[in-house]
Amino acid sequence: MKITIASDSFKGSASSLEVAEAIERGIHRVDSSVVCDKFPAADGGEGLIQTLRRSGDELVKVRVHGPLFEEMESSYLKRGHTAVIETAAASGLPLVPPDKLNPLETTTLGTGELIKHALENGCTELLIGIGGSATNDGGIGMAAALGVRFLDGSGNDVVPAGKGLERIARIETDGLSPLVGKAVIRVACDVDNPLCGENGASAIYGPQKGATPEMISRLDAGLRHLAVCAGKEPAALEPGSGAAGGLGFALRVFCSAELESGITMVLSAIGIDGSLKTSDLVITGEGRIDGQSRRGKVPVGVAKLAKKYNLPVIAFAGDIGPGTESLYDAGIDAIVSTTNAAMKLDYAMSHSLELTEDAAFRTWHLVQTVQKI
């Protein structure tokens, strides 16, 4: 029997490939004859560089500002004139201590600094993954790093964070780096949310970034204000404009970037179709799976492709949230939790690989039982 394993990383605890290897170990504890074809996958968030990296690629290290404006070292991938940039590497959620999560205070400035460095380093094609951010600043931090000015009523630059959105009175783009217009910028987007509203950046993703209900209302109003000041209200309604707290909107508006489905882009790049043609089963997964996984996340992207070959799909997840019943209509046939008892989050994350291996072990016993019926 042959299976294809293509999981996302389990954010903050295990890489995509580590998850696949843990699943393989669990299966082989039951049946060592099963062939496991492993593919690291990503949807535009954490792990994109690792997924796309090839021999000979250069990992360029850069000093940037992190999500809390702290100085830190980040990096991007360079292959000839192409750069692969992860928002998560400079503005990511794991970079913010849990007690400091507050999207009013976080910025995409560091992501913009990575983009600026890549452009000045001779890159004319940029692939930017924008998942996994800790931000809700509408991308003004990113744009500010590239030379766009966001001014308040007194002509002063606003703080390029979520709290600065409501203070914008004027936007000046004259200082935007001319290198932006000479580059092809593709954005690997892991969600299809608009910028504002009940399905927008603040309402849907604000809570996981530390936003209270009061903050959500304030941030959503700030994003609407940004769209008005930019004169780009229609762009705010486009799918993906709400990705990464509105970074998708800023890349679209200020950088003329094309937003694409990250998982579709990655699956094409890694050539998984060849494996699926000769497989009997597909296993995928992510750290937390819920109804939002339909909006461009790895498990559903993998499942949709697997259904082209009429393959059953099992998804592993550390946390199963609300709305997962809708995923059974999106190509996923079964969802398995890797947690096997009541446990604290920090324990689950620090033991994610052994928990995943154990879940695969239990699941494969079930698979064998079904095969005997």
Side-chain angles (χ1 to χ4, degrees):
M1 186 176 189
K2 177 192 169 186
I3 64 173
T4 298
I5 307 174
S7 171
D8 199 354
S9 63
F10 283 12
K11 189 176 297 182
S13 61
S15 71
S16 173
L17 188 57
E18 287 173 333
V19 171
E21 290 171 341
I23 292 171
E24 179 182 46
R25 288 195 299 272
I27 291 172
H28 282 174
R29 283 167 52 192
V30 183
D31 184 353
S32 61
S33 72
V34 176
V35 175
C36 297
D37 209 359
K38 303 179 294 296
F39 289 83
D43 51 25
E46 179 184 9
L48 181 66
I49 286 177
Q50 183 182 51
T51 300
L52 298 181
R53 190 173 185 179
R54 301 175 188 168
S55 176
D57 290 346
E58 179 186 1
L59 196 63
V60 181
K61 296 182 178 180
V62 187
R63 296 293 297 180
V64 301
H65 290 87
L68 294 175
F69 293 91
E70 76 281 17
E71 288 193 10
M72 59 170 283
E73 184 177 88
S74 187
S75 60
Y76 64 89
L77 191 71
K78 187 174 187 289
R79 180 186 304 150
H81 295 293
T82 299
V84 181
I85 295 171
E86 286 185 18
T87 292
S91 313
L93 197 59
L95 299 176
V96 181
D99 62 339
K100 293 187 177 180
L101 285 173
N102 182 344
L104 289 171
E105 303 292 340
T106 50
T107 182
T108 54
L109 182 63
T111 297
E113 290 168 334
L114 287 177
I115 294 171
K116 183 174 184 288
H117 191 281
L119 292 171
E120 294 177 349
N121 196 21
C123 295
T124 54
E125 181 177 357
L126 274 57
L127 173 56
I128 306 172
I130 60 173
S133 81
T135 58
N136 203 119
D137 69 348
I140 65 173
M142 178 280 301
L146 295 175
V148 179
R149 296 189 68 190
F150 300 89
L151 307 173
D152 62 19
S154 300
N156 299 313
D157 294 288
V158 304
V159 176
K163 65 184 180 183
L165 293 168
E166 62 197 12
R167 300 192 63 226
I168 298 171
R170 189 171 79 256
I171 300 174
E172 294 183 353
T173 60
D174 293 348
L176 178 66
S177 170
L179 295 175
V180 173
K182 298 176 181 178
V184 175
I185 301 178
R186 301 169 63 202
V187 177
C189 190
D190 63 345
V191 298
D192 61 1
N193 302 78
L195 183 64
C196 311
E198 62 181 13
N199 289 314
S202 306
I204 300 300
Y205 304 107
Q208 72 187 43
K209 301 174 184 184
T212 64
E214 294 76 16
M215 286 184 197
I216 290 171
S217 178
R218 182 178 170 186
L219 288 165
D220 189 61
L223 291 175
R224 290 183 188 278
H225 181 63
L226 171 64
V228 171
C229 289
K232 298 292 184 180
E233 295 96 323
L237 302 175
E238 292 291 323
S241 284
L247 178 58
F249 171 81
L251 285 165
R252 180 175 262 144
V253 168
F254 300 112
C255 301
S256 300
E258 293 290 331
L259 272 62
E260 306 175 35
S261 165
I263 183 58
T264 300
M265 186 189 301
V266 168
L267 292 178
S268 174
I270 63 178
I272 196 174
D273 283 78
S275 177
L276 295 176
K277 291 176 182 177
T278 57
S279 284
D280 302 293
L281 172 70
V282 174
I283 296 180
T284 184
E286 62 182 334
R288 173 183 168 85
I289 194 168
D290 57 28
Q292 291 298 318
S293 297
R294 291 194 68 143
R295 309 194 77 129
K297 299 295 187 178
V298 165
V300 172
V302 170
K304 286 181 177 178
L305 187 58
K307 291 311 176 188
K308 287 177 56 179
Y309 303 96
N310 297 313
L311 295 174
V313 178
I314 298 174
F316 284 73
D319 183 22
I320 301 175
T324 52
E325 60 275 4
S326 68
L327 304 185
Y328 296 109
D329 296 324
I332 293 176
D333 299 288
I335 300 173
V336 177
S337 172
T338 61
T339 52
N340 55 18
M343 61 184 68
K344 293 184 177 180
L345 177 61
D346 57 352
Y347 179 89
M349 292 184 69
S350 62
H351 293 77
S352 64
L353 291 178
E354 60 188 78
L355 290 169
T356 300
E357 179 180 332
D358 181 63
F361 173 78
R362 290 183 280 107
T363 299
W364 209 253
H365 273 292
L366 179 60
V367 169
Q368 288 193 330
T369 301
V370 172
Q371 288 177 330
K372 294 175 183 178
I373 295 176

